[in-house]
Amino acid sequence: MKAILVMDQAAGTAGMKLVERPEPQAAINDVVVQVHASGFTWDELTWPSTWTDRVGRDRAPVIPGQELAGIVTALGYGTTGLSVGQRVFGLTDSYRGGTLAEYVAVEARNLAPLPGDVDFAVGASVAMPGLTAWQGLFEHGRVQAGQSIVVHGAAGAVGSMVTQLAREAGAYVIGTGRAAHRQAALDFGAREFVALENDALEHVGPVDLVFDVFGGDIGKRSARLIRAGGTLVTIAGPTDARPADGLAIDFVVVSDRAQLGEIIQRVRDGRLRTNIGNIATFDESIAAFNSIKRISGKTIIRVRP
């Protein structure tokens, strides 16, 4: 099968190669999926889990990619809940990766059925951002109707999902990002917008929840926006910045079949819009990942035409 291979972490995306690799086999509780569309997170090659297994053993060279949509072609021993020929979407374990390939072996529990009226590219595009938004808002942030929430990067792949889900939940959403992304953030449902290069973030607070995708100085400044009892939720890694009288939670997204079902139903009925910035063919994928052009939204690789 064709696959994207990266030899070592230092090479980054510049070290990606399109090569022939053996097709994967399904282990216990696995399925093998014929990949039709795949996603790649921009900083994935910096994650420790990309380069080691769960006991810390080096697994380079690696086939990157966690997000996928495709068709089940084989079941491992003991696998239940899915069937051969079924359309599916979801995430692989970050310690396994492998979706930038024509076939991938995935734990069945990490996948959900993809309805026939949803394009594979759409399925692959909402898996990571949708789950990240869902878990950050509802599991960790416990957002409620009537609350105010700051969503950093509100026009981005994750931020646009957070904005839409928070708005649906009845929250008042204040989006942030580059000035050029103001209208996009408002179109996704933000009620206000803060251009981080021009506007004073400190004038926004106090708010009940901040969903941070940036970390660094933005994360530190965001902690001061939280009102008593509020929460700073971040996907930018552990933070030293904590609200004076609130919570700071960093988390790593995990796949969840029930949540994927909730997300894809919202896509089908129009409550949730995908945010695809670019769709490239498999042969174009390396150039797409190494493009100097800044893309707002998710880059999706259509592995099969």
Side-chain angles (χ1 to χ4, degrees), residues 153 155 176-183 193-198 214 294:
T176 82
R178 295 174 179 269
H181 297 160
R182 177 186 299 273
Q183 192 56 53
F193 185 82
V194 176
L196 293 174
E197 70 266 49
N198 301 323
F214 296 136
R294 189 180 183 91

Side-chain angles (χ1 to χ4, degrees), residues 50-76:
T50 298
W51 300 99
T52 65
D53 62 18
R54 287 193 172 274
V55 295
R57 294 174 300 199
D58 179 66
R59 62 183 184 91
V62 300
I63 300 172
Q66 273 191 266
E67 304 142 270
L68 78 153
I71 297 175
V72 176
T73 59
L75 306 179

